[in-house]
Amino acid sequence: MDSKPAPIYVDNAATSFPKPREVIDTISSLLGGMSLSPGRSAHRYSLECSRIIFEARETLASFFNCPDSSRIAFACNVTEALNAGILGLFGTALHPGDHVITTPFEHNSVMRPLRYLEKNAGLTLSILPLSDEGEVMVSELPRLMRDNTRLIVVNHVSNVTGSVVDLEEIGRLKGECLLMVDAAQSAGVFSIDVKKMHIDMLAFTGHKSLFGPTGSGGFYLREGLALQPLKMGGTGSNSETEVQPDFMPDIYEAGTPNTLGIAGLGSGVEFIVKTGLAAIRGHEQRLCALFLDGLRQLKNVTVFGPGAGRQRAAVVSLRVKGKSESEVAFRLDREFGVMVRAGLHCAPAAHRAIGTFPAGTVRFSFGYFNTEKDVATCLRGLDMIAAR
Amino acid sequence: MWPPQHHSPTCVVILFSIHFVLKAEKLFKKQGISHDVIPVPREISSDCGMAVEFPCREIEKVSELLASADIRIAGLYRRDGRDSFQVISRS
Ligand SMILES: Cc1ncc(COP(=O)(O)O)c(C=O)c1O
């Protein structure tokens, strides 16, 4: 039996690994250092936790150019944030019979709540088409818009193909509609400016390119917009009343928060700011270009996604002729130590749109800590698997 | 020592949540306004939150500072004694 190959993690679109040293240090020193219940008691540990969460909120607000950090609410991931947004708008800004536009690249964390409201609450749904380049055709937005279109929900970067949606253009075309953005894959890689892009709600997850731990995430909600909160309970504020507070962030943050996760997320974003978004993106895109170049030399490998020269994230979906996706992924791990993800990536609509449903694809997703050597190993592994 | 032994009369500002208390704290620090983050005095409210205490001579500066940062004031009080407060304004 061969000795195990060294691990090469190329599944950063699922969750980033490794995390920056600073993130690990923040979390471990907190966990070992104090009690972690912010805003509940008046003692120094509780106050210190509140300060850490406050600072993380300020860091995220400035990262996305939100004018007021109280408009950031923390959640346990982008799925919770998107559900808080989609289900929470229902009854405040979204009513039975209203029309919503979305894209074929939505993750199930958007598609399922939207389909639920379509089936149970009389919402109607239209989906933007893809171009021949495999990109969402934002230019079709005016044609799909109706008098009763209230909401546009967009995944900024496809977790299947890496394709990028032009948010500024949507912001220009959206008129009176609300714009909700799933930034799960883009936050920490592409610059996001909620003001410039006219984003009404931005949902992010902490554990991918923002370098936080799992269980962290949240959303930005534009001033003047309100959601029906998904949960109600203790907030540490207004305790004399039995009614949920009506102000942010407390309204959406009932229950003791994930202090460790939020602290780690804050550290992750500080790491990004220190390193530079452009430097991170540049490194990932260099690795991606190298990988795509190498793939062009390989026989029997088909790549799905935006064409050469298009703006993209370092997420590459492919198939190997004659091999199942799960077999390729399994052999990459066993024989070459390369960890990737095979299948539908929780985005069946995306796979339908690019013609890879139901088997899906093998997805490689490079992160800031991957190296050129990692790319070479991926290519060598694929070449050998394709050959036998 | 609590309550803090200020030499000059102090005021207590109540804000809507710990987020705004900490935002105020950050601004006070930046502006060099001496202050203390204290539990909301029981005599003012049964709320379990925190408040900011500061010298009353800074009251104009504080009101302007909070307004410029869009921090709404839930209540403003003058400390008359250890356990006694007088309302200046309340929303
Ligand atoms: C585009 C997109 N949206 C949503 C999600 C869901 O993220 P989470 O599981 O952190 O809620 C993911 C990743 O899994 C994603 O890639």
Side-chain angles (χ1 to χ4, degrees):
Chain A
M1 189 76 193
D2 288 345
S3 64
K4 258 192 171 166
I8 295 176
Y9 186 78
V10 202
D11 195 14
N12 289 279
T15 194
S16 58
F17 180 84
K19 305 296 180 189
R21 189 71 242 169
E22 295 88 324
V23 172
I24 299 165
D25 289 347
T26 296
I27 293 174
S28 57
S29 69
L30 260 183
L31 184 59
M34 67 179 79
S35 72
L36 295 168
S37 175
R40 302 301 195 266
S41 320
H43 55 67
R44 71 190 73 176
Y45 285 167
S46 182
L47 194 54
E48 191 49 33
C49 279
S50 297
R51 283 202 186 93
I52 287 164
I53 290 178
F54 170 77
E55 284 303 334
R57 218 185 286 284
E58 295 257 293
T59 302
L60 276 147
S62 113
F63 189 63
F64 294 128
N65 197 28
C66 314
D68 170 5
S69 63
S70 76
R71 302 305 299 183
I72 300 267
F74 289 112
C76 68
N77 49 39
V78 77
T79 301
E80 189 181 57
L82 289 163
N83 275 265
I86 295 170
L87 301 177
L89 276 179
F90 200 76
T92 61
L94 209 56
H95 300 281
D98 283 349
H99 178 236
V100 177
I101 300 175
T102 190
T103 85
F105 282 150
E106 298 315 303
H107 189 272
N108 269 342
S109 50
V110 165
M111 258 342 168
R112 286 178 174 173
L114 283 180
R115 291 295 184 199
Y116 174 85
L117 291 179
E118 183 185 38
K119 180 158 182 274
N120 297 292
L123 219 69
T124 53
L125 204 57
S126 298
I127 298 191
L128 282 162
L130 292 189
S131 67
D132 295 341
E133 287 283 353
E135 289 174 344
V136 174
M137 291 181 75
V138 173
S139 57
E140 287 293 290
L141 202 54
R143 203 179 53 78
L144 290 187
M145 294 219 299
R146 305 176 191 165
D147 289 344
N148 63 340
T149 307
R150 296 277 175 267
L151 173 67
I152 302 166
V153 191
V154 183
N155 179 7
H156 190 189
V157 165
S158 167
N159 60 315
V160 173
T161 70
S163 147
V164 182
V165 169
D166 186 345
L167 291 181
E168 268 183 72
E169 194 185 350
I170 296 187
R172 269 194 302 276
L173 294 174
K174 75 178 184 117
E176 297 291 298
C177 299
L178 299 176
L179 172 58
M180 187 183 299
V181 174
D182 174 357
Q185 294 294 338
S186 60
V189 182
F190 291 94
S191 134
I192 297 176
D193 182 323
V194 294
K195 278 205 332 225
K196 202 164 88 187
M197 293 166 165
H198 302 283
I199 295 171
D200 297 288
M201 174 160 170
L202 178 80
F204 53 89
T205 210
H207 65 102
K208 298 183 196 268
S209 296
L210 293 177
F211 292 123
T214 48
S216 63
F219 59 86
Y220 154 81
L221 187 68
R222 178 175 58 73
E223 170 89 57
L225 263 183
L227 308 170
Q228 182 60 38
L230 285 191
K231 51 184 181 171
M232 302 184 203
T235 55
S237 52
N238 288 14
S239 296
E240 71 283 7
T241 110
E242 295 179 11
V243 177
Q244 183 75 359
D246 60 359
F247 50 83
M248 280 193 77
D250 301 36
I251 177 173
Y252 307 122
E253 292 188 349
T256 302
N258 178 5
T259 306
L260 283 178
I262 294 167
L265 169 56
S267 274
V269 176
E270 278 166 22
F271 171 83
I272 295 166
V273 171
K274 191 185 74 188
T275 310
L277 202 59
I280 291 174
R281 185 170 62 247
H283 178 74
E284 292 185 5
Q285 290 187 332
R286 251 189 319 280
L287 296 182
C288 185
L290 201 64
F291 186 57
L292 288 168
D293 268 351
L295 289 177
R296 276 190 275 280
Q297 322 297 319
L298 296 189
K299 280 199 267 306
N300 300 328
V301 172
T302 310
V303 178
F304 299 85
R310 308 297 300 179
Q311 168 91 298
R312 66 171 303 143
V315 176
V316 179
S317 255
L318 56 82
R319 277 180 167 178
V320 178
K321 196 172 164 194
K323 312 277 183 214
S324 80
E325 286 57 53
S326 52
E327 180 195 350
V328 174
F330 184 70
R331 287 186 58 191
L332 279 168
D333 183 13
R334 278 301 167 87
E335 298 171 26
F336 303 93
V338 171
M339 289 172 262
V340 297
R341 179 161 169 201
L344 291 173
H345 315 102
C346 301
H351 282 281
R352 279 201 187 87
I354 63 169
T356 50
F357 188 84
T361 52
V362 183
R363 182 186 72 184
F364 292 73
S365 47
F366 299 98
Y368 182 62
F369 295 106
N370 282 121
T371 62
E372 294 189 5
K373 199 164 151 239
D374 294 345
V375 174
T377 309
C378 292
L379 288 166
R380 187 164 53 84
L382 272 174
D383 191 25
M384 291 177 71
I385 290 167
R388 60 184 165 82
Chain B
M1 180 122 187
W2 192 90
Q5 305 296 292
H6 291 290
H7 301 298
S8 51
T10 62
C11 289
V12 173
V13 63
I14 311 290
L15 304 169
F16 279 89
S17 103
I18 185 74
H19 174 81
F20 298 104
V21 170
L22 296 175
K23 181 117 196 164
E25 179 188 47
K26 195 171 174 174
L27 294 171
F28 280 40
K29 268 186 198 152
K30 214 185 255 170
Q31 296 293 320
I33 302 172
S34 70
H35 65 278
D36 207 354
V37 174
I38 59 163
V40 172
R42 189 166 36 91
E43 296 73 19
I44 294 179
S45 156
S46 58
D47 186 72
C48 54
M50 305 297 283
V52 191
E53 183 161 18
F54 58 92
C56 288
R57 63 181 137 76
E58 304 276 22
I59 199 157
E60 264 178 42
K61 211 164 149 193
V62 164
S63 302
E64 272 167 34
L65 196 60
L66 297 180
S68 70
D70 280 330
I71 301 176
R72 283 192 306 138
I73 295 176
L76 190 56
Y77 300 80
R78 177 189 301 273
R79 188 190 281 277
D80 276 350
R82 194 189 160 95
D83 304 318
S84 146
F85 299 85
Q86 213 162 68
V87 183
I88 300 173
S89 69
R90 195 158 48 192
S91 81

